[in-house]
Amino acid sequence: MKHVVVVDYGMGNLRSVSKAAEHVAGNHARIKVSSDPARVRDADAIIFPGQGAARACMDHLIETGLEHSVQQAAKEKPFLGICMGMQVLMDYSEENDGVHCLKVFPGEVTPFRFPPTQPLKIPHMGWNQIAQTQDHPLWHGIEDNTRFYFVHSYYVQPADHSLTAGVCDYGHPFTAAIARDNVFAIQAHPEKSADAGLQLLKNFIQWNGTP
């Protein structure tokens, strides 16, 4: 049975993510929420969910010793980042006057900025379509341009555009999902995205980390 750890870094929607993962896992995987670096290192797969502020996230990861175990997991095993769990994979976030992140991938996290002539609300909140820009096992059974649920004020700008696995439009196109080797991350919340979100989580539980 696969052992999947949902990383607890003191913030975020851990219960809804873990319950959704348990629902789709059935008897194929055991889902555990943990803040123990050793459990993260020993897991077969990692889900790194989250919402909130980048600085608070990084501070907690460093204080608890989770920083290095999460970085190592992103190199070695199936890894799903959700919302903040996607953003902190980058080098740097502009949030809170600038925060150095996990540096798994080169890139920055930037706030939405709209001119007065384009008065869109921030945060970007609600249902929006994701256009799939690369084939990936986690898109299996999910139609292109399917709607997912978003809540965020910042978005990822990867330095390497080939990382982008999905694009959403809110005032302008932005990267809504990234994928490279054993890592897949999505800005939207699959645990709040009805059948499509559950399918993505099911795909992750079944995924062996091969693109």
Side-chain angles (χ1 to χ4, degrees):
M1 180 180 290
K2 182 181 288 187
H3 179 204
V4 180
V5 166
V6 178
V7 179
D8 178 3
Y9 57 95
M11 58 195 298
N13 50 334
L14 300 175
R15 181 173 175 79
S16 58
V17 171
S18 62
K19 289 300 181 184
E22 287 173 5
H23 176 73
V24 298
N27 296 322
H28 301 290
R30 179 184 302 157
I31 314 297
K32 294 291 184 181
V33 177
S34 181
S35 60
D36 184 347
R39 286 184 177 270
V40 172
R41 289 193 297 269
D42 292 341
D44 298 312
I46 296 295
I47 300 176
F48 189 173
Q51 55 194 28
R55 184 175 299 281
C57 172
M58 287 305 304
D59 285 349
H60 192 88
L61 289 175
I62 293 168
E63 290 168 3
T64 59
L66 280 166
E67 178 189 19
H68 297 302
S69 59
V70 170
Q71 286 171 323
Q72 195 64 30
K75 297 176 183 178
E76 297 179 346
K77 58 191 70 178
F79 187 105
L80 174 63
I82 298 173
C83 195
M84 180 59 67
M86 172 182 174
Q87 294 181 8
V88 296
L89 295 176
M90 298 293 110
D91 287 326
Y92 181 83
S93 173
E94 291 187 36
E95 192 173 346
N96 305 115
D97 298 320
V99 183
H100 291 287
C101 298
L102 292 173
K103 302 181 181 181
V104 174
F105 299 118
E108 296 187 353
V109 182
T110 304
F112 284 109
R113 298 183 177 99
F114 299 122
T117 55
Q118 192 183 27
L120 293 172
K121 292 182 179 180
I122 302 173
H124 169 217
M125 182 167 62
W127 295 85
N128 208 339
Q129 293 177 314
I130 297 180
Q132 299 169 20
T133 57
Q134 60 171 277
D135 292 331
H136 195 277
L138 265 67
W139 291 137
H140 174 72
I142 301 172
E143 292 186 5
D144 193 15
N145 293 308
T146 291
R147 293 166 69 84
F148 283 79
Y149 189 83
F150 290 81
V151 183
H152 64 121
S153 301
Y154 290 74
Y155 63 96
V156 163
Q157 294 193 85
D160 180 355
H161 296 297
S162 69
L163 274 173
T164 300
V167 174
C168 184
D169 193 292
Y170 190 67
H172 55 75
F174 69 90
T175 295
I178 60 173
R180 174 67 55 82
D181 300 328
N182 57 298
V183 175
F184 186 96
I186 185 167
Q187 182 63 63
H189 289 271
E191 76 280 4
K192 298 180 180 179
S193 297
D195 291 345
L198 291 177
Q199 181 64 50
L200 189 142
L201 289 170
K202 182 178 180 180
N203 291 342
F204 176 73
I205 297 297
Q206 297 175 347
W207 186 39
N208 64 4
T210 302

